[in-house]
Amino acid sequence: MAVFVFLRNKRYRAKLGFFLHSPVLASEIYRTLHVSADILRILLNYDLIGFHTFDFARHIFSCCSRMLGLDYESKRGQIGLDYSARTVYIKILPIGIHLEKVENVLNIPSTSVKVKEFEGKFKGNHVIVGVDDMNLFKAISLKLLASEQLLRKYENLRDIVVLVQIINPERSSGEDIEEVRWETYGTANRINQIYGSCGHQLVILIDRPVDQCRALQLWMKLGELCHILLETSVLIIYEYVGCSPSLSGTIGINPWGISFIAEAMRSTISMDDFLRQLRHEQNYSYVQSLDVAYWARSFIHSMERACLDHYNYQCWDFVGILVPHSSAKKNLSSEAETALITLCDDPKNTVFIVSGSGRSSLTEWLAPCEGLGLAAEHGYFIRWKKTSEWQSSLVVDLEWKATVKRKELSDHCKHVIANEPAVVRKGKNIVELKPQDASKGLVTEKVIATMVSNGEIPDFI
């Protein structure tokens, strides 16, 4: 994710897109990470960021609002965040599958042979197929516990229901993986011993590399497809999975609700063929029309739209005008420095930088420009040149600061200082509290008024 930060520094007009394939944490959890704001800023170096669902995008919006002070709005029919003098667009676009590739697997002669073997083995049974990785997050053991509850509650299903659990090879090793494996096999053995019979296993675990068996490849593909190629199958899917909102023909469940999983299994077994077919058609129609090729075309098209203004960009600013936002160094570029010094060296010119930044920051960033006037903190402090002293341009009551400092700097402050001579402003990367009468416009008027009173009436501003 961070690689493109360096590319953005080198090529500001580069067209950069990023699709996050995994879920996004809610802001209440995400903000506890000590690098959370840094990761957000990394993401905002892209022109387009894609997510599976609006829920994932909504979490990003919430994080950006609460942690960086950024609000989103609709632009050109897309959702955009203004950041670093650019608009970062958000795209909600679930990734499709390569349907043709999966259908090719189905058409392989050896696949048909294996399918017939499975049909013969499980003839007369309702087969529930699960495809999961062997890790803590896939909740295989919860599924097995739900199956156990189903068999315990409905004795008539013990002779006609089989759970075939395909376990993908683990991607890592460790004690946690071994604990999951031990729990999975222990639960499966217990179910078969209590509710099974001689020659009839109720739970079958298939735990071996997929490429050793073409039939497993078929079941793997059917698992990835949510079984939509089986015209009378019904998909039970965890509601947290990215494709869950997209497939309307599925039965969504919470993996922690064992009773609900058991009832979902029972409902699929008792469902009539017409409803099964209807659910299948809903899912298959979606997958067929919104495949991976559609996803790629749509994402590229959105990228082009997001980058339409790239060649109109002329200057970028960490705080508004002069310094690149993504730069770790906040001092002026040589071009900006030369331009300001040239303007200041002309005795006919009065040059001021008016900024929301503090005095020390402005003094450091603009140190080479000795004849430059500075107005810091939105004009509350003013200095006519480097050798001058900082002066307060306003006389205001600041007692409200003691109250605010004891509280979180957020929207709550609006209520705290409702009757005080101060305002709260949410800006880019900040929540700012300032005296009510301090503004960049007022300090500009003061500079001009001082010039006029000294007989230096401006010809051009």
Side-chain angles (χ1 to χ4, degrees):
M1 290 168 67
V3 167
F4 286 95
V5 175
F6 304 102
L7 182 57
R8 177 66 74 196
N9 286 345
K10 294 291 185 181
R11 298 287 185 269
Y12 198 86
R13 294 186 177 94
K15 299 177 181 179
L16 306 178
F18 181 79
F19 191 92
L20 188 62
H21 190 66
S22 51
V24 180
L25 295 174
S27 60
E28 292 81 6
I29 303 172
Y30 181 76
R31 67 193 304 181
T32 63
L33 303 175
H34 72 284
V35 294
S36 55
D38 296 327
I39 294 175
L40 284 180
R41 293 189 182 99
I42 286 171
L43 271 180
L44 295 175
N45 275 272
Y46 293 95
D47 298 297
L48 179 68
I49 309 170
F51 299 98
H52 274 297
T53 70
F54 183 76
D55 281 342
F56 297 169
R58 179 170 54 83
H59 290 164
I60 284 291
F61 296 146
S62 178
C63 290
C64 288
S65 175
R66 295 185 178 189
M67 301 173 64
L68 301 181
L70 302 178
D71 293 319
Y72 68 92
E73 58 182 307
S74 178
K75 296 187 176 184
R76 296 175 182 160
Q78 300 187 89
I79 304 172
L81 289 160
D82 286 332
Y83 181 76
S84 182
R86 299 166 34 253
T87 299
V88 180
Y89 289 95
I90 306 298
K91 180 77 172 179
I92 294 94
L93 185 64
I95 293 182
I97 61 149
H98 198 316
L99 187 59
E100 182 180 355
K101 184 176 180 180
V102 177
E103 289 176 335
N104 288 339
V105 173
L106 293 174
N107 294 328
I108 296 174
S110 59
T111 299
S112 300
V113 173
K114 291 295 181 181
V115 169
K116 289 181 180 179
E117 290 181 10
F118 274 111
E119 288 176 344
K121 183 176 182 179
F122 298 117
K123 186 176 181 179
N125 288 289
H126 292 279
V127 182
I128 301 173
V129 180
V131 184
D132 300 278
D133 295 342
M134 179 66 82
N135 65 46
L136 286 168
F137 304 105
K138 299 304 180 181
I140 296 177
S141 60
L142 297 178
K143 188 190 307 180
L144 295 179
L145 290 174
S147 176
E148 183 177 29
Q149 182 169 314
L150 176 73
L151 297 170
R152 182 170 59 249
K153 187 175 181 180
Y154 302 99
E155 296 183 11
N156 61 308
L157 298 181
R158 296 176 185 177
D159 295 327
I160 59 174
V161 172
V162 176
L163 172 62
V164 179
Q165 177 63 53
I166 299 173
I167 302 173
N168 297 333
E170 57 271 14
R171 303 177 189 180
S172 61
S173 60
E175 292 184 3
D176 57 336
I177 298 295
E178 291 306 315
E179 288 179 7
V180 173
R181 186 182 300 279
W182 178 84
E183 184 178 13
T184 299
Y185 275 87
T187 306
N189 291 334
R190 184 179 70 245
I191 294 173
N192 286 327
Q193 290 173 3
I194 296 175
Y195 302 107
S197 59
C198 182
H200 180 65
Q201 283 186 302
L202 294 172
V203 178
I204 299 175
L205 299 180
I206 302 178
D207 184 8
R208 58 184 125 155
V210 176
D211 57 2
Q212 291 185 8
C213 179
R214 181 67 67 178
L216 295 189
Q217 185 178 20
L218 166 65
W219 286 112
M220 175 76 76
K221 294 301 180 185
L222 293 179
E224 291 176 353
L225 268 173
C226 311
H227 312 305
I228 58 173
L229 294 179
L230 294 177
E231 294 188 0
T232 58
S233 69
V234 179
L235 171 67
I236 301 173
I237 194 169
Y238 296 152
E239 59 189 17
Y240 307 130
V241 175
C243 64
S244 178
S246 304
L247 300 175
S248 57
T250 63
I251 297 177
I253 49 96
N254 185 323
W256 295 100
I258 294 175
S259 297
F260 293 106
I261 300 176
E263 287 304 313
M265 291 177 175
R266 190 193 67 81
S267 66
T268 61
I269 294 169
S270 60
M271 189 178 297
D272 62 58
D273 288 344
F274 174 76
L275 289 178
R276 291 172 182 268
Q277 179 71 22
L278 184 62
R279 286 176 176 271
H280 161 77
E281 289 176 355
Q282 288 175 325
N283 292 334
Y284 187 77
S285 175
Y286 178 88
V287 173
Q288 191 176 40
S289 58
L290 301 178
D291 60 1
V292 70
Y294 171 85
W295 173 85
R297 289 193 304 269
S298 182
F299 194 83
I300 294 298
H301 176 67
S302 297
M303 271 281 294
E304 294 295 334
R305 292 180 63 192
C307 300
L308 285 176
D309 295 332
H310 268 38
Y311 289 95
N312 295 328
Y313 293 158
Q314 295 180 8
C315 64
W316 328 112
D317 180 340
F318 192 87
V319 287
I321 303 293
L322 297 171
V323 182
H325 188 289
S326 53
S327 174
K329 297 180 179 179
K330 301 175 181 64
N331 50 317
L332 294 174
S333 65
S334 58
E335 293 86 353
E337 181 181 314
T338 301
L340 285 174
I341 291 175
T342 302
L343 287 170
C344 293
D345 285 346
D346 189 334
K348 295 181 180 179
N349 294 337
T350 298
V351 186
F352 259 83
I353 295 292
V354 181
S355 172
S357 300
R359 290 171 289 176
S360 58
S361 297
L362 290 180
T363 299
E364 178 186 352
W365 298 342
L366 300 164
C369 308
E370 296 187 357
L372 181 65
L374 300 177
E377 299 186 22
H378 298 280
Y380 184 81
F381 294 102
I382 189 171
R383 190 183 76 182
W384 283 81
K385 56 184 178 180
K386 189 174 183 179
T387 56
S388 303
E389 296 293 327
W390 285 98
Q391 299 175 347
S392 173
S393 62
L394 297 170
V395 178
V396 295
D397 179 12
L398 298 178
E399 290 183 0
W400 52 269
K401 290 179 70 174
T403 304
V404 168
K405 283 182 177 179
R406 295 194 298 269
K407 298 182 176 292
E408 181 183 352
L409 290 181
S410 67
D411 291 342
H412 298 295
C413 291
K414 293 180 181 179
H415 303 290
V416 175
I417 63 171
N419 299 317
E420 302 290 345
V423 293
V424 179
R425 188 180 72 89
K426 182 184 290 186
K428 294 180 180 178
N429 311 324
I430 59 169
V431 174
E432 184 176 68
L433 295 92
K434 64 175 185 176
Q436 200 167 34
D437 295 329
S439 74
K440 295 176 182 177
L442 289 176
V443 75
T444 303
E445 289 182 0
K446 182 169 184 176
V447 169
I448 297 171
T450 302
M451 293 173 62
V452 171
S453 66
N454 293 334
E456 302 171 350
I457 300 177
D459 297 311
F460 174 77
I461 299 174

